[in-house]
């Protein structure tokens, strides 16, 4: 059995989750389910990033201690993952003691090996991004963060630095040799040209407690007392502390990760800091960092600080969870930015879900009831082929390809009905082989669709499975066999996706 370890980023707990967070997590869930269906041993990790100035400030604004504040936000994430049918295997919080212990062990090892050293940092810091900005941009005469263009603050502190710079050539070489280390290609090229154009600075990995209380305390000795570790150094390590780091004999230890799924705003920490941290720790880099775009609202990134949040609960209440999951995967090519609107959701819902998929099931079951007393007929000659290119789509993060392959197949099913006209065939005195082949074939097709759609729309798939009268649970072994559904008693239910006017 191959194993498949995939992760989402750890979400900041400064506010409730929104569409942007839901997007990363839904994609991860679909991939996890796809691999489970394939029979892989999946470990799907998600969780929350709870330290740092941003959380400290949000907690203060809410009149709570940081941990108490984090405790009040985390259930909102778990609740949303439940609503969205997210099948994660483990939820890590950066305040969990196994994580903080693992981070301290990593810090100690790197310090003892001379890969971390003290120095005074005199420069700019971006609180919203929790990053040091050695080269700020100037806008309207004021220094701003070169990434997010928000105001930054000046700090002068003695801190500990990680020797990131030493690994520049190694990292560039690793990326060049491994096509699929960063996908899509545009992001890979972005990192490669960054590494070619700029000298990689060493990374500041601490904050004095006098400036930031809310972090993982650095072990003293060997570090001077009074330091906490910098958010990114803490958070990135979750991908291995969740597996039991530093205990590599832990039965949970399945490093390297197959996929870190992230948004484009956190490319640099994942594609630069993290592989170098791993290399310094003597561990392999992850196999793939897969980078998606942003959901925009009127051209701006959706975020709490911009106040343009679309609450996933509202949309799910309106359209249902599977339509939401489907929309997120289908609407925007992976890696591109997309614009969320209810108009676009309505269009997809009515066209793809109500008309194409919903109708195919409904028409097929209605006719099986009408012409065969609800029992799927046996047939000999099959009119239905298999959809093409599915695996390629999934394996290359081209979800649109995977989904449009399925929808082309659904179209074939609807066209088969329109062209063969079962209602005309049924008028023949004896129920012809052709009528049996059309309806029996369609039942087999829908059964296969239920399996193939399961990673994206698990409850809809289970519903189709049940309405077709398929026994047992959805599984890959039951994928395609002509005649597999013959003899089943269908149980037509309500339409899967009632049309929205
Ligand atoms: N805590 C860090 C990640 C640490 S990982 C070791 C962080 N958290 S975050 O909550 O700000 O963002 C988490 C993820 O949500 C990122 O992948 C980010 O791209 C994604 N999104 C947040 N807003 C988004 C949109 N508007 N659209 C799409 N995804 C975006 O960064």
């Amino acid at each position: 059995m191959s194993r498949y370890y995939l992760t989402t980023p750890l979400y900041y707990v400064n506010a409730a989750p929104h569409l942007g967070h839901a997007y990363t997590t839904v994609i991860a869930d679909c991939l996890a389910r796809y691999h489970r269906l394939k029979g892989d041993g999946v470990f799907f990790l998600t969780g929350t990033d709870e330290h740092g100035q941003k959380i400290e400030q949000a907690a203060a604004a809410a009149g709570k201690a940081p941990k108490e504040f984090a405790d009040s936000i985390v259930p909102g994430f778990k609740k949303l993952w439940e609503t969205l049918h997210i099948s994660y295997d483990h939820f890590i919080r950066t305040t969990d003691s196994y994580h903080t212990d693992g981070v301290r062990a990593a810090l100690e090892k790197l310090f003892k090996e001379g890969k971390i050293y003290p120095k005074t940092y005199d420069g700019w810091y971006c609180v919203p991004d929790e990053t040091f900005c050695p080269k700020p941009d100037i806008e309207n005469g004021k220094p701003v963060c070169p990434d997010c263009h928000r105001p930054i603050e000046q700090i002068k502190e003695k801190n500990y630095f990680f020797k990131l710079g030493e690994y520049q050539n190694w990292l560039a070489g690793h990326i060049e040799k491994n096509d699929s280390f960063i996908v899509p290609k545009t992001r890979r090229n972005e990192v490669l040209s960054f590494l070619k154009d700029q000298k990689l600075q060493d990374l500041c990995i601490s904050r004095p407690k006098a400036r930031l209380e809310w972090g993982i305390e650095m072990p003293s000795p060997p570090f001077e007392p009074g330091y906490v570790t910098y958010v990114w150094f803490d958070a990135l390590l979750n991908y291995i502390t969740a597996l039991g780091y530093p205990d590599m004999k832990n039965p949970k230890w399945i490093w390297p990760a197959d996929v870190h799924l992230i948004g484009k705003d956190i490319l640099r920490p994942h594609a630069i800091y993290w592989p170098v941290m791993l290399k310094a720790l003597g561990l392999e880099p992850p196999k793939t960092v897969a980078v998606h775009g942003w959901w925009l609202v009127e051209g701006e990134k959706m975020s709490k600080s911009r106040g343009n949040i679309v609450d996933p609960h509202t949309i799910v209440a309106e359209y249902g969870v599977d339509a939401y999951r489907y929309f997120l995967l289908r609407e925007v090519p992976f890696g591109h930015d997309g614009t969320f609107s209810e108009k676009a959701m309505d269009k997809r819902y009515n066209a793809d879900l109500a008309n194409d998929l919903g109708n195919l099931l409904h028409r097929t079951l209605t006719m099986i009831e009408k012409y065969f007393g609800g029992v799927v007929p046996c047939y000999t000659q099959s009119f239905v082929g298999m959809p093409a290119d599915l695996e390629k789509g999934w394996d290359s993060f081209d979800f649109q390809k995977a989904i449009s392959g399925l929808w082309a197949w659904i179209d074939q099913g609807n066209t088969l009905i329109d062209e063969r006209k079962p209602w005309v065939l049924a008028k023949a005195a004896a129920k012809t082989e052709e009528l049996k082949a059309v309806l029996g074939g369609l039942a087999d097709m829908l059964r296969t669709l239920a399996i193939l759609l399961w990673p994206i729309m698990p409850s809809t798939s289970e519903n189709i499975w049940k309405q077709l009268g398929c026994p047992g649970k959805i599984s890959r072994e039951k994928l395609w066999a002509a005649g597999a559904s013959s003899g089943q008693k269908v149980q037509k239910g309500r339409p899967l996706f009632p049309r929205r006017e």
Side-chain angles (χ1 to χ4, degrees):
M1 177 164 85
S2 8
R3 31 122 278 180
Y4 185 78
Y5 174 26
L6 100 156
T7 68
T8 72
L10 296 196
Y11 302 105
Y12 285 130
V13 289
N14 57 328
H18 60 66
L19 167 67
H21 308 126
Y23 181 53
T24 323
T25 316
V26 164
I27 296 178
D29 187 63
C30 294
L31 280 168
R33 287 174 185 269
Y34 168 70
H35 280 272
R36 287 194 195 109
L37 200 57
K38 272 178 77 169
D40 293 342
V42 172
F43 185 63
F44 169 15
L45 178 71
T46 190
T48 42
D49 187 354
E50 306 190 2
H51 294 118
Q53 207 161 336
K54 184 147 100 168
I55 316 294
E56 197 175 59
Q57 287 173 354
K64 288 188 173 149
K67 178 64 170 44
E68 184 196 356
F69 179 70
D71 288 345
S72 72
I73 298 286
V74 168
F77 276 93
K78 291 193 171 163
K79 176 90 199 67
L80 180 60
W81 302 156
E82 197 186 319
T83 302
L84 296 178
H85 298 166
I86 305 299
S87 57
Y88 60 82
D89 295 295
H90 185 66
F91 190 104
I92 184 169
R93 299 179 57 177
T94 54
T95 48
D96 287 337
S97 62
Y98 63 87
H99 172 73
T100 54
D101 289 349
V103 170
R104 287 200 189 97
L107 283 166
E108 216 170 309
K109 177 174 161 69
L110 294 175
F111 186 82
K112 284 187 177 150
E113 292 173 2
K115 294 167 182 163
I116 291 178
Y117 63 94
K119 189 182 86 175
T120 297
Y121 177 84
D122 187 357
W124 299 95
Y125 190 77
C126 171
V127 177
D129 282 357
E130 299 277 16
T131 33
F132 296 90
C133 309
K135 280 200 203 132
D137 279 358
I138 305 293
E139 283 175 13
N140 302 322
K142 292 218 169 75
V144 294
C145 169
D147 281 336
C148 73
H149 302 277
R150 286 176 280 196
I152 49 184
E153 44 181 66
Q154 193 153 29
I155 54 174
K156 184 173 180 184
E157 297 173 353
K158 180 178 160 193
N159 269 312
Y160 287 94
F161 285 75
F162 168 55
K163 290 185 177 167
L164 194 67
E166 274 189 6
Y167 296 83
Q168 181 151 7
N169 291 339
W170 167 79
L171 180 61
H174 179 77
I175 299 174
E176 301 235 354
K177 273 185 262 152
N178 294 280
D179 268 356
S180 56
F181 176 56
I182 305 169
V183 294
K185 252 201 189 82
T186 44
R187 298 294 164 206
R188 178 174 181 264
N189 294 340
E190 186 184 319
V191 176
L192 274 176
S193 54
F194 177 84
L195 289 172
K196 279 192 185 122
D197 298 347
Q198 304 202 19
K199 178 152 174 20
L200 209 54
Q201 305 288 324
D202 286 349
L203 182 69
C204 179
I205 56 141
S206 70
R207 305 295 312 272
K209 273 184 86 180
R211 297 205 42 116
L212 175 72
E213 272 283 320
W214 183 233
I216 299 179
E217 203 148 329
M218 296 177 66
S220 172
F223 296 94
E224 269 180 39
Y227 281 93
V228 297
T229 193
Y230 162 58
V231 270
W232 278 102
F233 197 87
D234 152 6
L236 287 164
L237 284 164
N238 91 86
Y239 301 133
I240 55 174
T241 59
L243 308 179
Y245 182 85
D247 174 11
M248 268 92 92
K249 297 221 165 64
N250 193 311
K252 287 192 289 191
W253 186 255
I254 46 163
W255 192 254
D258 291 84
V259 179
H260 291 315
L261 201 62
I262 60 162
K264 64 179 182 180
D265 47 329
I266 53 175
L267 175 60
R268 207 168 291 172
H270 282 86
I272 298 180
Y273 308 168
W274 180 227
V276 172
M277 284 164 67
L278 287 161
K279 174 81 180 158
L281 288 168
L283 296 170
E284 276 178 70
K287 289 188 197 152
T288 297
V289 176
V291 192
H292 67 68
W294 282 342
W295 284 95
L296 308 174
V297 177
E298 286 163 11
E300 283 224 315
K301 184 188 176 207
M302 181 182 305
S303 71
K304 150 99 172 149
S305 47
R306 290 179 181 85
N308 57 2
I309 297 297
V310 177
D311 180 357
H313 290 288
T314 319
I315 308 294
V316 169
E318 184 78 11
Y319 295 86
V321 53
D322 279 356
Y324 186 68
R325 291 171 61 109
Y326 173 79
F327 180 81
L328 293 184
L329 252 78
R330 178 71 180 86
E331 186 67 5
V332 180
F334 185 80
H336 292 229
D337 288 347
T339 295
F340 185 86
S341 75
E342 290 210 26
K343 202 166 151 205
M345 263 222 68
D346 276 333
K347 215 166 138 202
R348 286 260 168 235
Y349 180 97
N350 278 338
D352 303 3
L353 299 178
N355 280 2
D356 297 345
L357 175 62
N359 263 346
L360 180 63
L361 179 74
H362 206 71
R363 294 163 94 189
T364 304
L365 295 187
T366 305
M367 291 188 285
I368 291 175
E369 281 187 340
K370 194 159 167 199
Y371 307 134
F372 296 99
V375 177
V376 179
C378 260
Y379 63 98
T380 41
Q381 185 203 349
S382 177
F383 295 128
V384 187
M386 270 293 279
D389 263 0
L390 262 184
E391 302 226 339
K392 248 194 225 151
W394 279 110
D395 292 340
S396 60
F397 301 92
D398 189 347
F399 308 117
Q400 282 198 321
K401 186 186 226 162
I403 296 177
S404 45
L406 284 177
W407 253 258
W409 206 42
I410 293 173
D411 278 350
Q412 279 177 31
N414 278 316
T415 307
L416 185 72
I417 299 180
D418 297 342
E419 285 178 353
R420 302 272 171 168
K421 299 188 176 50
W423 48 93
V424 174
L425 298 177
K427 289 204 178 111
K431 300 271 190 310
T432 62
E433 276 308 307
E434 189 177 350
L435 179 64
K436 290 182 187 166
V438 170
L439 293 178
L442 286 170
D444 284 335
M445 176 189 202
L446 282 157
R447 160 201 186 92
T448 303
L449 270 171
I451 302 172
L452 297 174
L453 284 172
W454 183 78
I456 309 166
M457 301 199 281
S459 356
T460 301
S461 289
E462 278 149 25
N463 190 350
I464 297 175
W465 193 253
K466 208 168 122 214
Q467 294 202 32
L468 284 168
C470 298
K473 285 203 158 146
I474 289 178
S475 79
R476 187 183 167 83
E477 294 73 58
K478 300 175 184 168
L479 204 49
W480 170 260
S485 321
S486 301
Q488 275 170 211
K489 178 97 173 97
V490 303
Q491 306 168 34
K492 192 173 76 164
R494 288 201 312 227
L496 296 176
F497 299 98
R499 261 191 84 78
R500 290 172 59 83
E501 297 311 329

